[in-house]
Amino acid sequence: MDAGLAAVLGALAGSVATIGAALATGWAQREEARIAARAEHRRERREPRLEAYRAFISATSDLREQSTFFTVRDLVPDDLDEVTTDLLFQAVSGMKESALEVSLAGPRRVSKEAIKIQRLGSELSTNV
């Protein structure tokens, strides 16, 4: 093998190695970008759910606080003042709005449970 052929083969091997490294780097960068995009998508989906769930839990806790008095029939007086009933109806109304947000945020099984809780709250307020 003469020096000219060795130089050409060396240059060819170097260029093939450089192209291979560039392709591997490009593939790795695409995979990294895909992983980052997937993580960002999950975060964007999770964040509204988190806020909806937080609001629903808060509204449900408020309803529980207002309705504890009504859960035992023997403790409920015959004549209720308007302030007590208004607070209960406001709590039920807040919970209905929060349940709607939760049902829109999903997933389906969480939505079903939120609607069940909202219906129980509505039944409680209509029985008072």
Side-chain angles (χ1 to χ4, degrees):
M1 183 183 308
D2 63 345
L5 184 60
V8 170
L9 289 176
L12 180 64
S15 66
V16 168
T18 303
I19 290 171
L23 289 174
T25 302
W27 177 80
Q29 286 178 342
R30 279 193 306 275
E31 284 300 311
E32 187 176 319
R34 186 177 299 144
I35 290 168
R38 189 178 308 135
E40 180 67 18
H41 176 69
R42 286 182 180 165
R43 187 189 65 75
E44 286 177 355
R45 285 183 53 205
R46 187 175 297 143
E47 199 168 300
R49 285 182 180 175
L50 181 67
E51 292 300 319
Y53 296 167
R54 182 177 290 134
F56 182 70
I57 290 169
S58 175
T60 306
S61 296
D62 185 38
L63 176 64
R64 182 181 62 205
E65 184 179 310
Q66 297 300 326
S67 65
T68 303
F69 185 69
F70 300 104
T71 55
V72 179
R73 279 272 187 217
D74 298 336
L75 297 178
V76 179
D78 293 333
D79 55 335
L80 294 172
D81 59 338
E82 276 189 46
V83 175
T84 305
T85 55
D86 286 345
L87 288 174
L88 178 67
F89 289 133
Q90 287 174 359
V92 169
S93 176
M95 193 187 57
K96 281 182 184 180
E97 293 172 13
S98 299
L100 176 63
E101 292 296 321
V102 167
S103 65
L104 291 175
R108 182 177 298 240
R109 73 183 155 87
V110 174
S111 299
K112 286 181 180 180
E113 296 303 319
I115 296 301
K116 284 180 187 177
I117 293 169
Q118 182 263 322
R119 286 181 182 155
L120 288 172
S122 295
E123 287 177 16
L124 176 70
S125 67
T126 56
N127 290 335
V128 170

